[in-house]
């Protein structure tokens, strides 16, 4: 444990057991009276979040993101390993840790529907032990901050989903925690709401020096929002590094050739130094040849010459050549594929 | 303790706001309760098949009180069973778990607010129903009643914590608990001092259920006015006088031979409810259920964190 981090997971494992009665066993394919399944939801995960940093946890459904969030907020106890918040062991000092973390979880009733946003904040503020002196002012400030001031006295059940989600973030922040955990905060929201939440998260870290853990399966959001990104798949943390670095890992590898007709893909694939060639046809009129080439500079250069040669021999019209900007999505797909 | 009052305040404000905002629904629910009770009373009267106006009234009030105590138990245990189950499904439970005061304190405060709410609405209903049906008012004895209600409440939440803990880990216990909840209403309605004459197994079951002795004590205070029959050396009730049986119009009821029927009025002597043997059972089961309940709940809460069942799962 080091004090550098606001949140730290050290070799954390979580194994769930589920019990099934009269159900088909997926392993044996037979129906049995009872069988037990073991799910290794999180395996030896290690990462830390520094103060003022947004760490994104990116992974497909069932990767173990929510489990990580719940382990930090003491809702789930790790099978092995330790979790620290501000240097405090979560399991041993649960109640104290809860004063330092704000959490937005998935679920429909994380806010109380028959109450207004202001009443919700007052209610949860009391539950989170915010002193009654500051509570009202804090509640109003938060609603101002998140842009719900004009909806302050409207019952939550009349609010849109995005507004409810913003309120949930306010509730998580009502006790002014140092650490904010957001589990899929923008999933299922429209573009505007999602953008509003994004900008607020950025403000939070920049202005108030909070540490934010944000889980998502949306690369776009992770790319825009996070300082660092951890990629998690099947419970394993595949990588965790600066967003910029993660994108550039593959950045100089794929080239786009905009052509007039379908190119001879097999021929190009056989060129030494070309790792992969495929055609992306949008509307079939203007096929785009994607060529992934070697990382080594000389080899790459040679391969690109050969590709151009091959295209000239086939008398293709090359409309444009460009380096394809890598998105996180591709990086993610390739990273997760390579571990299968 | 500070946590308890803080949450209590939060819950009180919340339930007050909701009651004010949905005042119409609140009134409707009291009205429905009233209608149910009146129906129940006539049902009980007919079921008893008694001609005696006094027996009728006794039966009716006995039924109403029992039903309300049962409903109280039904509601509180329900909060710990179906309530927890629903909260886990919607994510509300996790929100509560994020409170630094802990789940036990949170549920204590929640159930307390619920108990206060239902005691108030029950009192209103008792007053309404006794006014319309029984025409005979109860023996209000505030001190004894409040002490008994508090003990009943503690007893119920002790039991509730135990079942609630089970629901945290094994969700299907929630379904089984429905049976327990209904049996509590039944016990509360039919609980009388005759429980002590039941066969051993039934007797212990009745005493173990947190409503039985509570219902007996409350009925003893409110209906009998803390008076019990005088017994002679042989253990028989002493008859004070013999009076004719009257029907609802106040006319004498005749038997098959055409002569007026009579019934015995027993001699009564005052005895505080605190000396009643059911009170002793109530106190004992309070202590036992609270200790067992909270210990179980803490243990099962941790288990639930292991299984990840505080949320949807
Ligand atoms: N309480 C639980 N009991 C059993 N299995 C669980 C439980 N919670 C999560 N899992 C399993 O653990 C894996 C990871 O789940 P989760 O952390 O929710 O994934 P994510 O949030 O990344 O979609 C999934 O396979 C899920 O089915
Ligand atoms: Mg999830």
């Amino acid at each position: 444990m080091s004090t550098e981090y606001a949140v730290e997971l050290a070799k954390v494992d979580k194994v769930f057991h589920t019990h099934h009665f009269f159900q088909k066993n997926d392993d044996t394919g037979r129906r049995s009276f009872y069988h037990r399944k073991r799910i290794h939801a999180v395996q030896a995960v290690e990462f830390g979040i520094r103060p003022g940093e947004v760490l994104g946890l990116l992974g497909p459904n069932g990767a173990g993101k929510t489990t990580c969030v719940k382990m930090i907020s003491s809702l789930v106890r790790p099978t092995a390993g330790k979790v620290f918040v501000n240097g405090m062991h979560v399991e041993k000092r649960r109640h104290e840790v809860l004063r330092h973390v704000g959490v937005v979880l998935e679920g429909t009733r994380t806010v109380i529907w028959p109450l207004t946003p202001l009443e919700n904040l007052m209610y949860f503020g009391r539950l989170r032990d915010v002193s009654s002196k500051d509570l009202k002012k804090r509640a109003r400030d938060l609603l101002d901050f998140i842009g719900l001031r004009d909806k302050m006295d409207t019952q939550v059940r009349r609010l849109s989903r995005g507004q409810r989600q913003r309120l949930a973030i306010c509730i998580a922040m009502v006790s002014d925690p140092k650490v904010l955990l957001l589990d899929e905060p923008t999933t299922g929201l429209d573009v505007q709401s999602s953008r509003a939440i994004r900008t607020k998260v950025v403000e939070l870290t920049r202005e108030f020096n909070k540490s934010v853990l944000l889980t998502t399966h949306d690369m776009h959001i992770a790319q825009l929002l996070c300082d660092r990104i951890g990629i998690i798949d099947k419970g394993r943390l595949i990588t965790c590094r600066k967003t910029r670095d993660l994108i550039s890992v593959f950045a100089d590898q794929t080239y786009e050739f905009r052509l007039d007709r379908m190119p001879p893909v097999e021929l190009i694939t056989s060129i030494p130094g070309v790792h992969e060639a495929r055609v992306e046809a949008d509307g079939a009129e203007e096929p785009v040849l994607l060529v992934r080439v070697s990382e080594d500079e000389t080899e790459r250069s040679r391969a690109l010459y050969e590709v151009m040669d091959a295209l000239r021999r086939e008398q293709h019209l090359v409309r444009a050549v460009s380096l394809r900007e890598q998105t996180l999505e591709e990086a993610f797909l390739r990273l997760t594929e390579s571990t299968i | 303790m500070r946590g308890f009052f803080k949450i209590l305040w939060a819950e009180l404000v919340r339930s007050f706001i909701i009651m004010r905002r949905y005042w119409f629904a609140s009134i409707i629910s009291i009205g429905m309760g009233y209608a149910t009770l009146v129906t129940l009373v006539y049902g009980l009267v007919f079921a008893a098949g008694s001609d005696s106006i006094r027996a009728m009234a006794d039966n009716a009030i006995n039924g109403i009180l029992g039903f309300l105590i049962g409903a109280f138990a039904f509601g509180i245990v329900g909060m710990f069973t179906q309530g927890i189950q629903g909260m886990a499904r919607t994510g509300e439970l996790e929100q509560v778990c994020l409170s630094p005061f802990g789940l036990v304190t949170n549920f204590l405060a929640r159930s307390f607010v619920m108990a206060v709410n239902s005691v108030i609405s029950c009192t209103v209903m008792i007053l309404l129903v006794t006014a319309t049906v029984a025409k005979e008012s109860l023996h209000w004895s505030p001190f004894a009643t409040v002490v008994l209600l508090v003990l009943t409440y503690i007893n119920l939440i002790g039991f509730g914590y135990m079942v609630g803990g089970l629901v945290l880990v094994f969700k299907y216990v929630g379904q089984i608990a429905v049976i327990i909840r209904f049996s509590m209403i039944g016990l509360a309605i039919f609980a009388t001092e005759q429980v002590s004459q039941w066969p051993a197994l039934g007797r212990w079951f009745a005493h173990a259920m947190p409503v039985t002795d509570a219902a007996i004590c409350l009925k003893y205070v409110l209906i009998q006015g803390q008076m019990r029959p005088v017994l002679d050396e042989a253990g028989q009730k002493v008859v004070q006088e013999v009076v004719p049986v009257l029907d609802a119009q106040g006319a004498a009821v005749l038997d098959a031979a055409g002569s007026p029927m009579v019934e015995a009025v027993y001699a009564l002597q005052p005895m505080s409810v605190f000396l009643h043997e059911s009170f002793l059972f109530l106190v004992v089961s309070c202590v036992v259920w609270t200790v067992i309940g909270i210990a179980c709940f803490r243990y099962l809460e941790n288990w639930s964190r292991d299984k990840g069942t505080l949320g949807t799962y």
Side-chain angles (χ1 to χ4, degrees):
Chain A
M1 176 203 81
S2 72
T3 43
E4 179 195 357
Y5 293 115
V7 173
E8 191 177 1
L9 275 75
K11 283 236 172 358
V12 173
D13 259 58
K14 181 67 208 177
V15 178
F16 289 114
H17 292 283
T18 52
H19 307 265
H20 307 267
F21 293 94
F22 307 113
Q23 272 164 21
K24 200 176 245 163
N25 188 334
D26 292 335
D27 303 330
T28 61
R30 289 218 323 271
R31 195 168 286 275
S32 56
F33 171 69
Y34 167 79
H35 70 271
R36 195 165 93 139
K37 253 205 297 226
R38 185 170 179 278
I39 303 163
H40 211 147
V42 169
Q43 307 187 32
V45 164
E46 276 191 293
F47 63 80
I49 313 172
R50 297 187 187 89
E53 182 184 51
V54 185
L55 178 77
L57 212 50
L58 189 60
N61 286 328
K65 305 181 295 291
T66 303
T67 308
C68 283
V69 169
K70 288 187 180 174
M71 285 191 297
I72 299 170
S73 50
S74 81
L75 295 172
V76 165
R77 188 159 63 179
T79 312
K82 289 176 181 162
V83 184
F84 297 97
V85 171
N86 288 336
M88 290 179 289
H89 192 309
V90 169
E91 217 177 301
K92 292 193 182 123
R93 299 166 71 181
R94 188 166 77 220
H95 296 311
E96 215 166 321
V97 164
L98 285 174
R99 292 176 190 275
H100 296 278
V101 290
V103 194
V104 177
L105 291 164
E106 297 161 298
T108 50
R109 297 286 168 140
T110 50
V111 292
I112 301 169
W113 286 24
L115 300 188
T116 67
L118 188 61
E119 288 158 356
N120 259 290
L121 281 171
M122 300 294 286
Y123 174 80
F124 282 108
R126 289 181 190 119
L127 237 58
R128 305 276 150 82
D129 200 17
V130 180
S131 86
S132 4
K133 270 208 310 289
D134 318 335
L135 186 54
K136 196 136 200 171
K137 184 174 178 313
R138 165 90 48 82
R140 284 171 194 275
D141 288 349
L142 278 173
L143 290 173
D144 269 341
F145 169 73
I146 214 94
L148 282 176
R149 187 61 185 250
D150 54 330
K151 300 284 179 198
M152 197 168 76
D153 296 317
T154 312
Q155 283 179 46
V156 169
R157 62 199 178 100
R158 302 217 171 84
L159 297 183
S160 73
R161 222 168 136 178
Q163 289 164 334
R164 272 181 218 149
Q165 186 67 354
R166 277 189 273 163
L167 177 60
I169 294 177
C170 283
I171 289 173
M173 284 169 46
V174 75
S175 60
D176 198 19
K178 303 238 169 45
V179 177
L180 201 58
L181 311 173
L182 306 174
D183 194 12
E184 313 242 356
T186 56
T187 303
L189 298 187
D190 58 35
V191 184
Q192 281 92 343
S193 310
S194 153
R195 175 172 306 156
I197 287 177
R198 247 161 38 209
T199 47
K200 289 304 162 192
V201 171
V202 172
E203 274 179 50
L204 270 178
T205 42
R206 301 295 170 268
E207 287 175 28
F208 303 102
N209 206 36
K210 308 248 183 245
S211 311
V212 177
L213 174 69
L214 178 136
T215 77
T216 180
H217 55 248
D218 185 338
M219 328 290 157
H220 183 60
I221 289 188
Q223 194 173 347
L224 286 175
L225 213 53
C226 303
D227 301 313
R228 277 191 309 145
I229 292 179
I231 292 189
I232 185 169
D233 188 38
K234 299 191 179 63
R236 288 179 194 281
L237 192 66
I238 295 165
T239 178
C240 181
R241 51 181 115 178
K242 289 220 171 68
T243 309
R244 206 170 345 104
D245 298 347
L246 191 64
I247 298 171
S248 66
V249 172
F250 307 98
D252 53 358
Q253 287 192 344
T254 303
Y255 289 84
E256 288 181 4
F257 295 82
R258 213 158 264 276
L259 302 174
D260 55 338
R261 58 198 156 83
M262 292 301 277
V265 179
E266 294 83 42
L267 192 69
I268 288 166
T269 316
S270 64
I271 295 172
V274 171
H275 289 333
E276 188 194 353
R278 65 194 158 89
V279 175
E280 227 172 47
D282 46 348
E285 297 155 18
E286 205 177 67
V288 178
L289 174 67
L290 292 174
V291 182
R292 188 152 66 81
V293 286
S294 169
E295 284 147 67
D296 179 73
E297 248 179 11
T298 33
E299 214 175 310
R300 180 164 70 219
S301 165
R302 205 174 301 138
L304 285 173
Y305 276 130
E306 295 229 4
V307 171
M308 289 303 274
D309 265 349
L311 290 174
R312 192 185 50 199
R313 278 198 304 276
E314 299 284 321
Q315 295 184 331
H316 273 286
L317 182 65
V318 178
R319 293 208 163 106
V321 181
S322 57
L323 174 62
R324 168 167 274 205
E325 198 182 318
Q326 287 283 328
T327 60
L328 201 49
E329 182 161 7
E330 278 163 61
F332 174 69
L333 279 178
R334 301 246 319 268
L335 277 170
T336 48
E337 256 165 32
S338 62
T339 58
I340 287 174
Chain B
M1 218 43 202
R2 198 178 60 86
F4 173 74
F5 286 112
K6 199 128 193 184
I7 303 165
L8 188 66
W9 181 238
E11 289 291 338
L12 275 175
V13 172
R14 164 162 100 152
S15 70
F16 179 74
I17 292 172
I18 291 178
M19 204 152 63
R20 197 191 50 196
R21 197 156 285 161
Y22 297 96
W23 58 270
F24 191 68
S26 311
I27 290 180
I28 293 277
S29 76
I30 289 194
M32 296 273 284
Y34 174 68
T36 316
L37 284 181
V38 173
T39 319
L40 184 83
V41 165
Y42 285 113
L44 283 169
V45 168
F46 284 120
S50 166
D51 302 318
S52 158
I53 186 80
R54 185 181 296 116
M56 258 165 73
D58 274 1
N59 259 330
I61 299 190
N62 208 46
I64 301 167
L65 261 181
F67 182 78
L68 287 176
I69 297 165
F72 182 66
F74 188 82
I76 291 196
V77 175
M79 198 196 91
F80 281 94
T81 53
Q82 258 77 19
I84 286 188
Q85 212 179 359
M87 284 170 74
R89 197 173 48 244
T90 58
E92 201 181 339
L93 184 65
E94 284 171 327
Q95 284 286 352
V96 175
C97 288
L98 292 175
S99 159
F101 299 126
L103 259 193
V104 173
T105 317
N106 264 281
F107 274 103
L108 192 64
R110 269 171 185 255
S111 60
F112 188 78
V113 171
M114 180 171 180
V116 170
N117 270 340
S118 56
V119 165
I120 292 174
S121 58
C122 281
T123 313
V124 172
M125 274 192 269
I126 292 186
L127 290 175
L128 285 176
V129 175
T130 45
T132 35
V133 186
K135 298 197 177 62
E136 195 180 301
S137 63
L138 298 169
H139 302 269
W140 292 104
S141 166
F143 177 69
T145 314
V146 168
V147 169
L148 288 176
L149 282 177
V150 170
L151 286 177
T152 312
Y153 165 71
I154 295 175
N155 209 344
L156 284 171
I157 57 165
F159 183 75
Y161 272 122
M162 191 195 67
V163 211
L166 289 172
V167 173
L168 283 181
V169 180
F170 311 102
K171 290 289 156 59
Y172 50 83
V173 173
Q175 264 76 42
I176 300 170
V178 180
I179 305 169
I180 300 179
R181 291 169 67 196
F182 276 108
S183 73
M184 281 184 161
I185 294 193
L187 271 177
I189 292 179
F190 297 108
T192 56
E193 284 153 335
Q194 263 86 59
V195 167
S196 56
Q197 274 122 57
W198 286 9
L201 197 65
R203 192 166 69 233
W204 285 112
F205 174 73
H207 284 308
M209 290 301 272
V211 280
T212 321
D213 291 298
I216 294 174
C217 289
L218 278 168
K219 287 174 182 175
Y220 179 70
V221 172
L222 293 174
I223 299 175
Q224 284 160 253
Q226 310 195 49
M227 303 280 270
R228 70 160 26 183
V230 182
L231 301 183
D232 59 19
E233 282 91 68
Q236 297 295 310
K237 293 178 188 169
V238 175
V239 177
Q240 190 171 37
E241 55 175 330
V242 175
V243 297
V245 177
L246 303 178
D247 69 11
Q249 276 73 46
V253 178
L254 303 181
D255 64 11
S259 50
M261 279 167 60
V262 291
E263 64 183 343
V265 174
Y266 297 106
L268 296 175
Q269 63 186 9
M271 185 192 77
S272 163
V273 68
F274 301 124
L275 302 174
H276 199 288
E277 72 167 347
S278 273
F279 183 74
L280 182 70
F281 276 114
L282 181 60
V283 172
V284 170
S285 76
C286 253
V287 174
V288 172
W289 277 125
T290 313
V291 171
I292 294 182
I294 292 185
C296 276
F297 190 80
R298 283 188 196 283
Y299 177 76
L300 291 163
E301 184 194 334
N302 279 332
W303 188 356
S304 174
R305 283 175 208 276
D306 263 343
K307 288 198 24 167
T309 47
L310 291 172
T312 336
Y313 229 93

